[in-house]
């Protein structure tokens, strides 16, 4: 009897031990398959994104950003203004959190090899490459594209004698860039609307695109459809806020709308001609809100209007959450610009969800080349020798970190033209512009044909 009881006891012990070994083996196998998710839920993994945020400014007309401290942290160091303070605090905290989450999600994807699989074809970086001479350039005539090209931007109509800047093309390092074909562009954009929205540099890109599509030739059959988009000359104005033309053969519309800040601008007092204008940093331009469902391809830009002089001249007052911004950190030009750029990028991304046909691009800032002063203090750009600063761009990251950060983890693509344009200081209007006063150089806008043509070639390739 005693021996029988011990036999039963050890039999049970061996059974328990065997069961434990089986369970342990299963757990170890599960851990090897997915070591994080077997312990921590997906929600818990994203509870604590990194606290550091780095947002740099590029536009030298803007105030600098403190790249070592996030906006929300710096905001907490300042005193909240009365009235709109709490609204601003929430907005800035949301902005900073979005930046942090964007970076964290991207890093997590890289760590898990989701977006950077070795089997996945790497997307071409069109911004990395070199300028090379090409006697087939320019792509259109600077004297004959009169239907689309403003005289003030056609350097062939000025006293300038050297046009060597026209004879170069951009060659990306690791990929071929297709030749721009206007007829092919229209066929690809059949029954679509292409919209460029931004400042005067986007207007230059728009005029360049129209000249490239038509080869610089008059196209009398192209229909002016500006009225359909409210692009008419307002009372007392010299020109409309933009232009829109439809190519009837393919039913393709190409339009431009002027929005220097990419913010909604709303007069505070509609009955007062001298009223200040609310510049809503957290709202898209009213034009985009109204017509986004009719746009198939969108190109955005902003940058050079983010300076105190421009805001004061336009009587623009910054608003967030429907109230004037009082916080001294957010009203700094670099911070305000970054806030607005991230806001419009997130809004456009949300619209892609609602309108899946929409393709969106955010063009990086076009560089200025003033030396020995600014436009109103004797600054100049007299160089006429191409490639005097070099011909290659070797960096992988964009020189415009604000736009690069804003589009990260969105479906908005970056149209990165900053570093490659930085090498072309000889291609500006300089002192030859027919619209500037004697002695004043334009080292911001470009001669056309010229550098914006390359922006459109890269845009065409990315489509």
């Amino acid at each position: 009897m005693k021996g029988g009881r011990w036999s039963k006891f050890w039999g049970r012990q061996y059974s328990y031990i065997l069961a434990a070994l089986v369970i342990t083996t299963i757990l170890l196998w599960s851990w090897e398959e997915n070591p994080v998710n077997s312990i921590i839920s997906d929600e818990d993994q994203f509870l604590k994104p990194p606290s550091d945020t780095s947002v740099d400014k590029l536009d030298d007309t803007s105030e600098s950003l403190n790249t070592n401290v996030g906006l929300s942290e710096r905001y907490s160091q300042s005193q909240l203004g009365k009235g709109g303070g709490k609204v601003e605090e929430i907005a800035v905290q949301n902005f900073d959190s979005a930046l942090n989450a964007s970076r964290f999600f991207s890093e997590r994807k890289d760590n898990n090899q989701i977006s950077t699989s070795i089997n996945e074809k790497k997307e071409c970086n069109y911004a990395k490459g070199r300028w090379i001479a090409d006697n087939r350039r320019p792509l259109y005539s600077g004297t004959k594209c009169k239907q689309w090209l403003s005289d003030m931007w056609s350097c062939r109509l000025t006293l300038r004698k050297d046009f060597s800047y026209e004879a170069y093309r951009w060659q990306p390092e690791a990929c071929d860039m297709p030749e721009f074909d206007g007829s092919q562009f229209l066929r690809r954009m059949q029954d679509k609307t292409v919209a460029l929205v931004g400042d005067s540099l986007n207007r230059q890109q728009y005029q360049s695109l129209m000249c490239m599509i038509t080869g610089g030739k008059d196209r009398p059959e192209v229909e002016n459809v500006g009225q359909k988009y409210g692009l008419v000359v307002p009372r007392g104005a010299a020109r409309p806020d933009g232009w829109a033309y439809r190519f009837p053969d393919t039913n393709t519309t190409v339009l431009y709308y002027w929005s220097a800040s990419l913010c909604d601008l709303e007069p505070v007092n509609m009955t007062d001609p001298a009223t200040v204008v609310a510049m809503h940093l957290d709202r898209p331009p009213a034009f985009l809100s109204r017509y986004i469902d009719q746009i198939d391809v969108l190109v955005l830009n902003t940058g050079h209007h983010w300076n105190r002089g421009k805001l004061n001249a336009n009587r623009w007052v910054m608003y967030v959450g429907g109230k004037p911004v009082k916080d001294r950190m957010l009203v700094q030009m670099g911070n305000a610009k970054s806030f607005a750029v991230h806001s419009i990028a997130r809004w456009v991304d949300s619209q892609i969800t609602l309108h899946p046909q929409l393709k969106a691009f955010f063009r990086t800032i076009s560089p200025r080349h003033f030396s020995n002063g600014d436009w109103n203090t004797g600054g100049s750009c007299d160089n006429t020798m191409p490639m005097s600063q070099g011909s290659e761009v070797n960096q992988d990251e964009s020189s415009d970190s604000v736009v690069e950060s804003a589009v990260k983890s969105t479906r908005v693509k970056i149209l990165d033209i900053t570093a490659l344009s930085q090498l072309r200081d000889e291609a500006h209007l300089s002192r030859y512009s027919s619209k500037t006063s004697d002695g004043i150089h334009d080292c911001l806008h470009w001669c056309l044909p010229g550098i914006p043509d390359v922006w459109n070639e890269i845009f065409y390739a990315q489509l």
Side-chain angles (χ1 to χ4, degrees), residues 174-219:
C175 51
D176 294 326
M177 192 159 67
E179 293 283 342
F180 186 93
D181 185 307
S183 298
Q184 179 66 18
F185 178 88
L186 290 176
R187 285 194 294 271
R188 291 174 65 182
M189 296 294 104
Q190 184 161 350
D191 299 320
K192 298 183 185 300
T193 296
V194 180
L196 290 85
V197 178
D199 60 24
S200 57
L201 277 306
N202 243 20
R203 183 184 170 198
Q204 285 208 300
Q205 186 176 352
Y206 166 73
Q207 292 192 6
S208 162
L209 181 60
M210 295 296 288
C211 288
M212 291 169 68
I213 292 172
T214 61
K217 299 177 181 178
D218 287 345
R219 296 283 291 271

Side-chain angles (χ1 to χ4, degrees), residues 229-247:
Y229 299 94
L231 302 176
V232 296
V233 181
R235 180 177 298 178
R239 58 174 182 256
D241 287 333
W243 296 265
Y245 291 94
R246 187 179 73 88
F247 293 82

Side-chain angles (χ1 to χ4, degrees), residues 153-293:
W153 289 335
S154 177
C155 289
R156 289 277 182 173
L157 300 179
T158 69
L159 298 177
R160 182 166 181 158
K161 304 298 182 184
D162 181 85
F163 303 101
S164 58
Y165 63 87
E166 293 181 346
Y168 289 84
R169 67 179 174 88
W170 180 252
Q171 178 58 54
E173 179 186 88
C175 51
D176 294 326
M177 192 159 67
E179 293 283 342
F180 186 93
D181 185 307
S183 298
Q184 179 66 18
F185 178 88
L186 290 176
R187 285 194 294 271
R188 291 174 65 182
M189 296 294 104
Q190 184 161 350
D191 299 320
K192 298 183 185 300
T193 296
V194 180
L196 290 85
V197 178
D199 60 24
S200 57
L201 277 306
N202 243 20
R203 183 184 170 198
Q204 285 208 300
Q205 186 176 352
Y206 166 73
Q207 292 192 6
S208 162
L209 181 60
M210 295 296 288
C211 288
M212 291 169 68
I213 292 172
T214 61
K217 299 177 181 178
D218 287 345
R219 296 283 291 271
E221 79 279 10
V222 177
E223 180 185 1
N224 185 341
V225 293
Q227 190 168 5
K228 175 183 176 182
Y229 299 94
L231 302 176
V232 296
V233 181
R235 180 177 298 178
R239 58 174 182 256
D241 287 333
W243 296 265
Y245 291 94
R246 187 179 73 88
F247 293 82
D249 290 347
T250 57
N251 189 32
T252 303
T253 298
V254 184
L255 69 84
Y256 162 77
Y257 179 76
W258 183 87
S259 178
S261 64
L262 296 181
C263 297
D264 187 26
L265 301 175
E266 182 182 42
V268 173
N269 185 352
M270 294 292 293
T271 63
D272 181 6
T275 184
V276 297
V277 177
M279 177 188 184
H280 296 282
L281 303 182
D282 52 350
R283 296 185 194 172
F287 177 86
L288 278 180
S289 296
R290 181 171 181 181
Y291 295 107
I292 192 67
D293 62 329

